[in-house]
Amino acid sequence: MKNLFLGLAVVVLMCVASCSVNERIVFNEQMGGTYTTAIDMSSILQIASEGRPVDTNKELKKKDTTIVFSEILELYKDSIAALPTEERLKIERLKDFTLNMKMDETTSEFYINVEKRFSEFSDIERVAYEVSDVLNKAKTESKNPDEAPNPADDLMSLDKVLYAYDGTTFSRRDPARAKEQVQEGMEELMDEETEEQSQGEEPLGMEMMMDQMMGEFTSQLEQSYMTLEYVFPRKVVSVSQEGATVSEDGKTVIFKVDWKTLMDDKEGLLNDIDIVLEKE
């Protein structure tokens, strides 16, 4: 039974690593601008459709939803005002966000786009924490209330990073946690597998199947990316991140890394990124 569970767990982890995330911030002269997180989870629907029995009577899901949080806050302002202070403030911090979600099982498309317009840099210092609340809304919109919890729901979450700006240097702080969560889960499951075999249970061909699944897992990791893109009003002097590219006009920094590299990362590629700009 644990062998079966291990196999299923690897499939889930393949799904977790099969999404691409694009984090983009465009700054204006006042260091206000637009923050966007785009998540492409189409490969998850593709994996699900390949393993799902054909059911001609089942209607495939198709959704295209846009949520403007300022409109929701205005619509329910009286109810929100009556909430406890901490909960009310948490909701009010979402007023500048817009969420768009497109899911089509017939074409295996699944995209989530979260956008926030901000007037000053301090508005996005902890934006990743707020985006998590927005994505919780996406989880609700993407499933029926009667459906069981989906292990892949963890895809709809972001690592809690912090942003800073001191007048010349833009910084992104704290590492991605996704690779650690996947590694920890795999290590725990492999420990269970080792203990089970030591008690005399035969692997029953599981080793060959697991090798094949892990090969597919690695392929999925190498084809899924985390992309950071930052557009500034002034030219970039230097970037601490090796492998990052700067546009021809010198104002845009792009860093793209596949999830396989992140999982193998020993130096902390996303730990501390500093981008120095020309002085005003």
Side-chain angles (χ1 to χ4, degrees), residues 105-139:
E105 290 185 336
T106 63
T107 58
S108 293
E109 292 180 284
F110 193 178
Y111 303 103
I112 293 177
N113 194 81
V114 179
E115 180 178 291
K116 176 178 180 175
R117 297 185 182 277
F118 56 99
S119 57
E120 55 188 34
F121 189 86
S122 60
D123 292 335
I124 62 161
E125 289 177 340
R126 297 175 61 85
V127 69
Y129 292 80
E130 298 165 2
V131 171
S132 291
D133 294 331
V134 173
L135 292 177
N136 283 334
K137 180 64 176 176
K139 294 179 188 180

PDB file of all heavy atoms in Angstrom, residues 105-139:
ATOM      1  N   GLU A 105     -10.956  22.978 -19.695  1.00  0.00           N
ATOM      2  CA  GLU A 105     -10.535  21.571 -19.740  1.00  0.00           C
ATOM      3  C   GLU A 105     -10.545  21.014 -21.154  1.00  0.00           C
ATOM      4  O   GLU A 105      -9.860  20.029 -21.429  1.00  0.00           O
ATOM      5  CB  GLU A 105     -11.439  20.728 -18.840  1.00  0.00           C
ATOM      6  CG  GLU A 105     -11.227  21.002 -17.356  1.00  0.00           C
ATOM      7  CD  GLU A 105     -12.043  20.064 -16.477  1.00  0.00           C
ATOM      8  OE1 GLU A 105     -13.071  19.531 -16.961  1.00  0.00           O
ATOM      9  OE2 GLU A 105     -11.653  19.880 -15.317  1.00  0.00           O
ATOM     10  N   THR A 106     -11.284  21.633 -22.065  1.00  0.00           N
ATOM     11  CA  THR A 106     -11.323  21.128 -23.435  1.00  0.00           C
ATOM     12  C   THR A 106     -10.008  21.404 -24.166  1.00  0.00           C
ATOM     13  O   THR A 106      -9.631  20.666 -25.076  1.00  0.00           O
ATOM     14  CB  THR A 106     -12.481  21.768 -24.221  1.00  0.00           C
ATOM     15  OG1 THR A 106     -12.268  23.186 -24.313  1.00  0.00           O
ATOM     16  CG2 THR A 106     -13.805  21.499 -23.541  1.00  0.00           C
ATOM     17  N   THR A 107      -9.313  22.468 -23.770  1.00  0.00           N
ATOM     18  CA  THR A 107      -8.044  22.824 -24.422  1.00  0.00           C
ATOM     19  C   THR A 107      -6.856  22.700 -23.470  1.00  0.00           C
ATOM     20  O   THR A 107      -5.730  23.054 -23.836  1.00  0.00           O
ATOM     21  CB  THR A 107      -8.110  24.267 -24.949  1.00  0.00           C
ATOM     22  OG1 THR A 107      -8.399  25.166 -23.858  1.00  0.00           O
ATOM     23  CG2 THR A 107      -9.190  24.410 -26.008  1.00  0.00           C
ATOM     24  N   SER A 108      -7.119  22.232 -22.242  1.00  0.00           N
ATOM     25  CA  SER A 108      -6.078  22.095 -21.210  1.00  0.00           C
ATOM     26  C   SER A 108      -5.372  23.422 -20.944  1.00  0.00           C
ATOM     27  O   SER A 108      -4.147  23.482 -20.789  1.00  0.00           O
ATOM     28  CB  SER A 108      -5.053  21.025 -21.603  1.00  0.00           C
ATOM     29  OG  SER A 108      -5.648  19.746 -21.616  1.00  0.00           O
ATOM     30  N   GLU A 109      -6.144  24.491 -20.873  1.00  0.00           N
ATOM     31  CA  GLU A 109      -5.593  25.806 -20.527  1.00  0.00           C
ATOM     32  C   GLU A 109      -5.970  26.156 -19.094  1.00  0.00           C
ATOM     33  O   GLU A 109      -7.119  25.989 -18.692  1.00  0.00           O
ATOM     34  CB  GLU A 109      -6.139  26.885 -21.463  1.00  0.00           C
ATOM     35  CG  GLU A 109      -5.669  26.770 -22.895  1.00  0.00           C
ATOM     36  CD  GLU A 109      -6.261  27.871 -23.762  1.00  0.00           C
ATOM     37  OE1 GLU A 109      -7.454  27.770 -24.117  1.00  0.00           O
ATOM     38  OE2 GLU A 109      -5.539  28.830 -24.060  1.00  0.00           O
ATOM     39  N   PHE A 110      -5.020  26.659 -18.343  1.00  0.00           N
ATOM     40  CA  PHE A 110      -5.289  27.065 -16.968  1.00  0.00           C
ATOM     41  C   PHE A 110      -4.298  28.177 -16.608  1.00  0.00           C
ATOM     42  O   PHE A 110      -3.126  27.935 -16.369  1.00  0.00           O
ATOM     43  CB  PHE A 110      -5.124  25.873 -16.021  1.00  0.00           C
ATOM     44  CG  PHE A 110      -5.677  26.106 -14.629  1.00  0.00           C
ATOM     45  CD1 PHE A 110      -5.638  25.089 -13.689  1.00  0.00           C
ATOM     46  CD2 PHE A 110      -6.243  27.322 -14.253  1.00  0.00           C
ATOM     47  CE1 PHE A 110      -6.154  25.279 -12.412  1.00  0.00           C
ATOM     48  CE2 PHE A 110      -6.762  27.525 -12.988  1.00  0.00           C
ATOM     49  CZ  PHE A 110      -6.711  26.498 -12.059  1.00  0.00           C
ATOM     50  N   TYR A 111      -4.804  29.413 -16.610  1.00  0.00           N
ATOM     51  CA  TYR A 111      -3.964  30.569 -16.335  1.00  0.00           C
ATOM     52  C   TYR A 111      -4.558  31.405 -15.199  1.00  0.00           C
ATOM     53  O   TYR A 111      -5.774  31.591 -15.124  1.00  0.00           O
ATOM     54  CB  TYR A 111      -3.838  31.467 -17.572  1.00  0.00           C
ATOM     55  CG  TYR A 111      -3.295  30.773 -18.796  1.00  0.00           C
ATOM     56  CD1 TYR A 111      -4.148  30.384 -19.821  1.00  0.00           C
ATOM     57  CD2 TYR A 111      -1.932  30.513 -18.923  1.00  0.00           C
ATOM     58  CE1 TYR A 111      -3.654  29.748 -20.959  1.00  0.00           C
ATOM     59  CE2 TYR A 111      -1.430  29.875 -20.050  1.00  0.00           C
ATOM     60  CZ  TYR A 111      -2.300  29.501 -21.071  1.00  0.00           C
ATOM     61  OH  TYR A 111      -1.816  28.865 -22.183  1.00  0.00           O
ATOM     62  N   ILE A 112      -3.686  31.902 -14.356  1.00  0.00           N
ATOM     63  CA  ILE A 112      -4.095  32.842 -13.311  1.00  0.00           C
ATOM     64  C   ILE A 112      -3.200  34.069 -13.407  1.00  0.00           C
ATOM     65  O   ILE A 112      -1.966  33.942 -13.484  1.00  0.00           O
ATOM     66  CB  ILE A 112      -3.987  32.220 -11.912  1.00  0.00           C
ATOM     67  CG1 ILE A 112      -5.000  31.089 -11.758  1.00  0.00           C
ATOM     68  CG2 ILE A 112      -4.222  33.266 -10.823  1.00  0.00           C
ATOM     69  CD1 ILE A 112      -4.927  30.374 -10.428  1.00  0.00           C
ATOM     70  N   ASN A 113      -3.814  35.236 -13.426  1.00  0.00           N
ATOM     71  CA  ASN A 113      -3.071  36.488 -13.499  1.00  0.00           C
ATOM     72  C   ASN A 113      -3.525  37.403 -12.363  1.00  0.00           C
ATOM     73  O   ASN A 113      -4.709  37.692 -12.227  1.00  0.00           O
ATOM     74  CB  ASN A 113      -3.314  37.170 -14.843  1.00  0.00           C
ATOM     75  CG  ASN A 113      -2.327  38.283 -15.112  1.00  0.00           C
ATOM     76  OD1 ASN A 113      -1.198  38.041 -15.538  1.00  0.00           O
ATOM     77  ND2 ASN A 113      -2.737  39.510 -14.866  1.00  0.00           N
ATOM     78  N   VAL A 114      -2.576  37.812 -11.533  1.00  0.00           N
ATOM     79  CA  VAL A 114      -2.866  38.704 -10.415  1.00  0.00           C
ATOM     80  C   VAL A 114      -2.122  40.018 -10.649  1.00  0.00           C
ATOM     81  O   VAL A 114      -0.909  40.012 -10.888  1.00  0.00           O
ATOM     82  CB  VAL A 114      -2.418  38.097  -9.071  1.00  0.00           C
ATOM     83  CG1 VAL A 114      -2.705  39.071  -7.933  1.00  0.00           C
ATOM     84  CG2 VAL A 114      -3.113  36.776  -8.821  1.00  0.00           C
ATOM     85  N   GLU A 115      -2.843  41.127 -10.595  1.00  0.00           N
ATOM     86  CA  GLU A 115      -2.236  42.436 -10.864  1.00  0.00           C
ATOM     87  C   GLU A 115      -2.568  43.423  -9.755  1.00  0.00           C
ATOM     88  O   GLU A 115      -3.677  43.423  -9.213  1.00  0.00           O
ATOM     89  CB  GLU A 115      -2.737  42.989 -12.198  1.00  0.00           C
ATOM     90  CG  GLU A 115      -2.154  44.340 -12.569  1.00  0.00           C
ATOM     91  CD  GLU A 115      -2.645  44.832 -13.920  1.00  0.00           C
ATOM     92  OE1 GLU A 115      -2.253  44.230 -14.940  1.00  0.00           O
ATOM     93  OE2 GLU A 115      -3.436  45.804 -13.954  1.00  0.00           O
ATOM     94  N   LYS A 116      -1.588  44.229  -9.409  1.00  0.00           N
ATOM     95  CA  LYS A 116      -1.800  45.292  -8.437  1.00  0.00           C
ATOM     96  C   LYS A 116      -1.135  46.565  -8.941  1.00  0.00           C
ATOM     97  O   LYS A 116       0.055  46.573  -9.254  1.00  0.00           O
ATOM     98  CB  LYS A 116      -1.211  44.935  -7.067  1.00  0.00           C
ATOM     99  CG  LYS A 116      -1.343  46.086  -6.052  1.00  0.00           C
ATOM    100  CD  LYS A 116      -0.812  45.728  -4.678  1.00  0.00           C
ATOM    101  CE  LYS A 116      -0.968  46.911  -3.728  1.00  0.00           C
ATOM    102  NZ  LYS A 116      -0.582  46.590  -2.341  1.00  0.00           N
ATOM    103  N   ARG A 117      -1.899  47.635  -8.990  1.00  0.00           N
ATOM    104  CA  ARG A 117      -1.346  48.947  -9.307  1.00  0.00           C
ATOM    105  C   ARG A 117      -1.022  49.649  -7.987  1.00  0.00           C
ATOM    106  O   ARG A 117      -1.824  49.646  -7.063  1.00  0.00           O
ATOM    107  CB  ARG A 117      -2.338  49.761 -10.136  1.00  0.00           C
ATOM    108  CG  ARG A 117      -2.634  49.118 -11.490  1.00  0.00           C
ATOM    109  CD  ARG A 117      -3.526  49.988 -12.365  1.00  0.00           C
ATOM    110  NE  ARG A 117      -3.823  49.332 -13.637  1.00  0.00           N
ATOM    111  CZ  ARG A 117      -3.029  49.354 -14.696  1.00  0.00           C
ATOM    112  NH1 ARG A 117      -1.884  50.025 -14.630  1.00  0.00           N
ATOM    113  NH2 ARG A 117      -3.361  48.728 -15.808  1.00  0.00           N
ATOM    114  N   PHE A 118       0.163  50.253  -7.920  1.00  0.00           N
ATOM    115  CA  PHE A 118       0.584  50.881  -6.669  1.00  0.00           C
ATOM    116  C   PHE A 118       1.172  52.265  -6.960  1.00  0.00           C
ATOM    117  O   PHE A 118       1.749  52.511  -8.023  1.00  0.00           O
ATOM    118  CB  PHE A 118       1.601  50.008  -5.939  1.00  0.00           C
ATOM    119  CG  PHE A 118       2.828  49.661  -6.737  1.00  0.00           C
ATOM    120  CD1 PHE A 118       4.014  50.368  -6.571  1.00  0.00           C
ATOM    121  CD2 PHE A 118       2.811  48.624  -7.669  1.00  0.00           C
ATOM    122  CE1 PHE A 118       5.149  50.058  -7.305  1.00  0.00           C
ATOM    123  CE2 PHE A 118       3.947  48.296  -8.408  1.00  0.00           C
ATOM    124  CZ  PHE A 118       5.107  49.014  -8.229  1.00  0.00           C
ATOM    125  N   SER A 119       1.007  53.166  -5.996  1.00  0.00           N
ATOM    126  CA  SER A 119       1.439  54.551  -6.194  1.00  0.00           C
ATOM    127  C   SER A 119       2.824  54.824  -5.625  1.00  0.00           C
ATOM    128  O   SER A 119       3.485  55.774  -6.034  1.00  0.00           O
ATOM    129  CB  SER A 119       0.426  55.518  -5.559  1.00  0.00           C
ATOM    130  OG  SER A 119       0.270  55.232  -4.178  1.00  0.00           O
ATOM    131  N   GLU A 120       3.267  54.017  -4.677  1.00  0.00           N
ATOM    132  CA  GLU A 120       4.604  54.191  -4.108  1.00  0.00           C
ATOM    133  C   GLU A 120       5.179  52.837  -3.722  1.00  0.00           C
ATOM    134  O   GLU A 120       4.438  51.860  -3.534  1.00  0.00           O
ATOM    135  CB  GLU A 120       4.568  55.118  -2.900  1.00  0.00           C
ATOM    136  CG  GLU A 120       3.601  54.691  -1.821  1.00  0.00           C
ATOM    137  CD  GLU A 120       3.465  55.738  -0.728  1.00  0.00           C
ATOM    138  OE1 GLU A 120       3.542  56.944  -1.039  1.00  0.00           O
ATOM    139  OE2 GLU A 120       3.310  55.338   0.441  1.00  0.00           O
ATOM    140  N   PHE A 121       6.491  52.774  -3.586  1.00  0.00           N
ATOM    141  CA  PHE A 121       7.149  51.488  -3.394  1.00  0.00           C
ATOM    142  C   PHE A 121       6.686  50.771  -2.131  1.00  0.00           C
ATOM    143  O   PHE A 121       6.586  49.535  -2.107  1.00  0.00           O
ATOM    144  CB  PHE A 121       8.671  51.675  -3.343  1.00  0.00           C
ATOM    145  CG  PHE A 121       9.423  50.379  -3.361  1.00  0.00           C
ATOM    146  CD1 PHE A 121       9.742  49.767  -4.564  1.00  0.00           C
ATOM    147  CD2 PHE A 121       9.769  49.739  -2.185  1.00  0.00           C
ATOM    148  CE1 PHE A 121      10.408  48.551  -4.588  1.00  0.00           C
ATOM    149  CE2 PHE A 121      10.437  48.532  -2.198  1.00  0.00           C
ATOM    150  CZ  PHE A 121      10.753  47.929  -3.401  1.00  0.00           C
ATOM    151  N   SER A 122       6.408  51.512  -1.088  1.00  0.00           N
ATOM    152  CA  SER A 122       6.006  50.882   0.175  1.00  0.00           C
ATOM    153  C   SER A 122       4.751  50.020   0.020  1.00  0.00           C
ATOM    154  O   SER A 122       4.509  49.122   0.830  1.00  0.00           O
ATOM    155  CB  SER A 122       5.772  51.948   1.252  1.00  0.00           C
ATOM    156  OG  SER A 122       4.747  52.849   0.859  1.00  0.00           O
ATOM    157  N   ASP A 123       3.983  50.264  -1.038  1.00  0.00           N
ATOM    158  CA  ASP A 123       2.753  49.494  -1.257  1.00  0.00           C
ATOM    159  C   ASP A 123       3.026  48.054  -1.687  1.00  0.00           C
ATOM    160  O   ASP A 123       2.117  47.215  -1.647  1.00  0.00           O
ATOM    161  CB  ASP A 123       1.884  50.171  -2.331  1.00  0.00           C
ATOM    162  CG  ASP A 123       1.323  51.507  -1.864  1.00  0.00           C
ATOM    163  OD1 ASP A 123       1.191  51.680  -0.640  1.00  0.00           O
ATOM    164  OD2 ASP A 123       1.024  52.359  -2.720  1.00  0.00           O
ATOM    165  N   ILE A 124       4.262  47.750  -2.111  1.00  0.00           N
ATOM    166  CA  ILE A 124       4.545  46.381  -2.559  1.00  0.00           C
ATOM    167  C   ILE A 124       5.648  45.703  -1.736  1.00  0.00           C
ATOM    168  O   ILE A 124       6.103  44.613  -2.096  1.00  0.00           O
ATOM    169  CB  ILE A 124       4.931  46.326  -4.051  1.00  0.00           C
ATOM    170  CG1 ILE A 124       6.210  47.127  -4.311  1.00  0.00           C
ATOM    171  CG2 ILE A 124       3.783  46.776  -4.925  1.00  0.00           C
ATOM    172  CD1 ILE A 124       6.883  46.751  -5.620  1.00  0.00           C
ATOM    173  N   GLU A 125       6.061  46.304  -0.659  1.00  0.00           N
ATOM    174  CA  GLU A 125       7.135  45.705   0.141  1.00  0.00           C
ATOM    175  C   GLU A 125       6.769  44.304   0.615  1.00  0.00           C
ATOM    176  O   GLU A 125       7.606  43.409   0.678  1.00  0.00           O
ATOM    177  CB  GLU A 125       7.457  46.601   1.337  1.00  0.00           C
ATOM    178  CG  GLU A 125       8.167  47.889   0.959  1.00  0.00           C
ATOM    179  CD  GLU A 125       8.409  48.796   2.144  1.00  0.00           C
ATOM    180  OE1 GLU A 125       7.707  48.633   3.174  1.00  0.00           O
ATOM    181  OE2 GLU A 125       9.292  49.663   2.056  1.00  0.00           O
ATOM    182  N   ARG A 126       5.486  44.091   0.929  1.00  0.00           N
ATOM    183  CA  ARG A 126       5.017  42.779   1.398  1.00  0.00           C
ATOM    184  C   ARG A 126       3.902  42.249   0.493  1.00  0.00           C
ATOM    185  O   ARG A 126       3.001  41.541   0.931  1.00  0.00           O
ATOM    186  CB  ARG A 126       4.510  42.891   2.839  1.00  0.00           C
ATOM    187  CG  ARG A 126       5.584  43.297   3.830  1.00  0.00           C
ATOM    188  CD  ARG A 126       5.003  43.520   5.222  1.00  0.00           C
ATOM    189  NE  ARG A 126       4.384  42.314   5.755  1.00  0.00           N
ATOM    190  CZ  ARG A 126       5.045  41.357   6.403  1.00  0.00           C
ATOM    191  NH1 ARG A 126       6.343  41.469   6.609  1.00  0.00           N
ATOM    192  NH2 ARG A 126       4.419  40.289   6.857  1.00  0.00           N
ATOM    193  N   VAL A 127       3.983  42.571  -0.786  1.00  0.00           N
ATOM    194  CA  VAL A 127       2.900  42.236  -1.710  1.00  0.00           C
ATOM    195  C   VAL A 127       2.699  40.730  -1.847  1.00  0.00           C
ATOM    196  O   VAL A 127       1.580  40.257  -2.089  1.00  0.00           O
ATOM    197  CB  VAL A 127       3.152  42.885  -3.091  1.00  0.00           C
ATOM    198  CG1 VAL A 127       4.338  42.235  -3.790  1.00  0.00           C
ATOM    199  CG2 VAL A 127       1.903  42.795  -3.960  1.00  0.00           C
ATOM    200  N   ALA A 128       3.763  39.935  -1.679  1.00  0.00           N
ATOM    201  CA  ALA A 128       3.623  38.475  -1.812  1.00  0.00           C
ATOM    202  C   ALA A 128       2.662  37.909  -0.782  1.00  0.00           C
ATOM    203  O   ALA A 128       1.959  36.924  -1.042  1.00  0.00           O
ATOM    204  CB  ALA A 128       4.990  37.799  -1.683  1.00  0.00           C
ATOM    205  N   TYR A 129       2.603  38.512   0.394  1.00  0.00           N
ATOM    206  CA  TYR A 129       1.684  38.061   1.438  1.00  0.00           C
ATOM    207  C   TYR A 129       0.242  38.344   1.013  1.00  0.00           C
ATOM    208  O   TYR A 129      -0.660  37.548   1.251  1.00  0.00           O
ATOM    209  CB  TYR A 129       1.990  38.763   2.755  1.00  0.00           C
ATOM    210  CG  TYR A 129       3.313  38.370   3.359  1.00  0.00           C
ATOM    211  CD1 TYR A 129       4.502  38.921   2.897  1.00  0.00           C
ATOM    212  CD2 TYR A 129       3.392  37.432   4.389  1.00  0.00           C
ATOM    213  CE1 TYR A 129       5.730  38.556   3.443  1.00  0.00           C
ATOM    214  CE2 TYR A 129       4.606  37.061   4.940  1.00  0.00           C
ATOM    215  CZ  TYR A 129       5.772  37.625   4.464  1.00  0.00           C
ATOM    216  OH  TYR A 129       6.983  37.249   4.992  1.00  0.00           O
ATOM    217  N   GLU A 130       0.028  39.484   0.390  1.00  0.00           N
ATOM    218  CA  GLU A 130      -1.313  39.851  -0.060  1.00  0.00           C
ATOM    219  C   GLU A 130      -1.758  38.985  -1.238  1.00  0.00           C
ATOM    220  O   GLU A 130      -2.932  38.606  -1.327  1.00  0.00           O
ATOM    221  CB  GLU A 130      -1.327  41.335  -0.452  1.00  0.00           C
ATOM    222  CG  GLU A 130      -0.996  42.264   0.711  1.00  0.00           C
ATOM    223  CD  GLU A 130      -0.653  43.670   0.245  1.00  0.00           C
ATOM    224  OE1 GLU A 130      -0.703  43.925  -0.972  1.00  0.00           O
ATOM    225  OE2 GLU A 130      -0.329  44.516   1.101  1.00  0.00           O
ATOM    226  N   VAL A 131      -0.818  38.670  -2.134  1.00  0.00           N
ATOM    227  CA  VAL A 131      -1.150  37.842  -3.292  1.00  0.00           C
ATOM    228  C   VAL A 131      -1.635  36.465  -2.841  1.00  0.00           C
ATOM    229  O   VAL A 131      -2.519  35.873  -3.461  1.00  0.00           O
ATOM    230  CB  VAL A 131       0.056  37.709  -4.240  1.00  0.00           C
ATOM    231  CG1 VAL A 131      -0.212  36.673  -5.327  1.00  0.00           C
ATOM    232  CG2 VAL A 131       0.367  39.055  -4.883  1.00  0.00           C
ATOM    233  N   SER A 132      -1.094  35.959  -1.746  1.00  0.00           N
ATOM    234  CA  SER A 132      -1.555  34.661  -1.232  1.00  0.00           C
ATOM    235  C   SER A 132      -3.043  34.713  -0.897  1.00  0.00           C
ATOM    236  O   SER A 132      -3.776  33.750  -1.151  1.00  0.00           O
ATOM    237  CB  SER A 132      -0.752  34.273   0.010  1.00  0.00           C
ATOM    238  OG  SER A 132       0.586  33.971  -0.320  1.00  0.00           O
ATOM    239  N   ASP A 133      -3.497  35.817  -0.338  1.00  0.00           N
ATOM    240  CA  ASP A 133      -4.922  35.964  -0.034  1.00  0.00           C
ATOM    241  C   ASP A 133      -5.749  36.022  -1.319  1.00  0.00           C
ATOM    242  O   ASP A 133      -6.852  35.477  -1.391  1.00  0.00           O
ATOM    243  CB  ASP A 133      -5.155  37.232   0.795  1.00  0.00           C
ATOM    244  CG  ASP A 133      -4.528  37.143   2.175  1.00  0.00           C
ATOM    245  OD1 ASP A 133      -4.419  36.024   2.710  1.00  0.00           O
ATOM    246  OD2 ASP A 133      -4.145  38.195   2.729  1.00  0.00           O
ATOM    247  N   VAL A 134      -5.212  36.689  -2.336  1.00  0.00           N
ATOM    248  CA  VAL A 134      -5.909  36.769  -3.619  1.00  0.00           C
ATOM    249  C   VAL A 134      -6.017  35.377  -4.247  1.00  0.00           C
ATOM    250  O   VAL A 134      -7.060  34.987  -4.780  1.00  0.00           O
ATOM    251  CB  VAL A 134      -5.168  37.726  -4.576  1.00  0.00           C
ATOM    252  CG1 VAL A 134      -5.801  37.678  -5.961  1.00  0.00           C
ATOM    253  CG2 VAL A 134      -5.194  39.150  -4.035  1.00  0.00           C
ATOM    254  N   LEU A 135      -4.944  34.605  -4.165  1.00  0.00           N
ATOM    255  CA  LEU A 135      -4.949  33.263  -4.760  1.00  0.00           C
ATOM    256  C   LEU A 135      -5.878  32.317  -4.008  1.00  0.00           C
ATOM    257  O   LEU A 135      -6.387  31.356  -4.591  1.00  0.00           O
ATOM    258  CB  LEU A 135      -3.529  32.703  -4.791  1.00  0.00           C
ATOM    259  CG  LEU A 135      -2.581  33.416  -5.755  1.00  0.00           C
ATOM    260  CD1 LEU A 135      -1.180  32.841  -5.653  1.00  0.00           C
ATOM    261  CD2 LEU A 135      -3.086  33.324  -7.189  1.00  0.00           C
ATOM    262  N   ASN A 136      -6.098  32.568  -2.732  1.00  0.00           N
ATOM    263  CA  ASN A 136      -7.088  31.774  -1.996  1.00  0.00           C
ATOM    264  C   ASN A 136      -8.464  31.931  -2.631  1.00  0.00           C
ATOM    265  O   ASN A 136      -9.265  31.000  -2.657  1.00  0.00           O
ATOM    266  CB  ASN A 136      -7.123  32.194  -0.530  1.00  0.00           C
ATOM    267  CG  ASN A 136      -5.960  31.646   0.258  1.00  0.00           C
ATOM    268  OD1 ASN A 136      -5.407  30.607  -0.097  1.00  0.00           O
ATOM    269  ND2 ASN A 136      -5.568  32.335   1.317  1.00  0.00           N
ATOM    270  N   LYS A 137      -8.720  33.144  -3.123  1.00  0.00           N
ATOM    271  CA  LYS A 137      -9.973  33.383  -3.827  1.00  0.00           C
ATOM    272  C   LYS A 137     -10.021  32.578  -5.125  1.00  0.00           C
ATOM    273  O   LYS A 137     -11.060  32.028  -5.503  1.00  0.00           O
ATOM    274  CB  LYS A 137     -10.123  34.882  -4.135  1.00  0.00           C
ATOM    275  CG  LYS A 137     -11.400  35.258  -4.885  1.00  0.00           C
ATOM    276  CD  LYS A 137     -12.639  34.973  -4.068  1.00  0.00           C
ATOM    277  CE  LYS A 137     -13.893  35.448  -4.782  1.00  0.00           C
ATOM    278  NZ  LYS A 137     -15.131  35.092  -4.052  1.00  0.00           N
ATOM    279  N   ALA A 138      -8.870  32.476  -5.791  1.00  0.00           N
ATOM    280  CA  ALA A 138      -8.807  31.700  -7.025  1.00  0.00           C
ATOM    281  C   ALA A 138      -9.087  30.226  -6.759  1.00  0.00           C
ATOM    282  O   ALA A 138      -9.730  29.550  -7.565  1.00  0.00           O
ATOM    283  CB  ALA A 138      -7.433  31.862  -7.678  1.00  0.00           C
ATOM    284  N   LYS A 139      -8.614  29.708  -5.629  1.00  0.00           N
ATOM    285  CA  LYS A 139      -8.882  28.316  -5.279  1.00  0.00           C
ATOM    286  C   LYS A 139     -10.384  28.084  -5.166  1.00  0.00           C
ATOM    287  O   LYS A 139     -10.915  27.082  -5.633  1.00  0.00           O
ATOM    288  CB  LYS A 139      -8.221  27.974  -3.945  1.00  0.00           C
ATOM    289  CG  LYS A 139      -6.715  27.990  -3.963  1.00  0.00           C
ATOM    290  CD  LYS A 139      -6.179  27.671  -2.576  1.00  0.00           C
ATOM    291  CE  LYS A 139      -4.677  27.869  -2.499  1.00  0.00           C
ATOM    292  NZ  LYS A 139      -4.137  27.566  -1.157  1.00  0.00           N
TER     293      LYS A 139
END
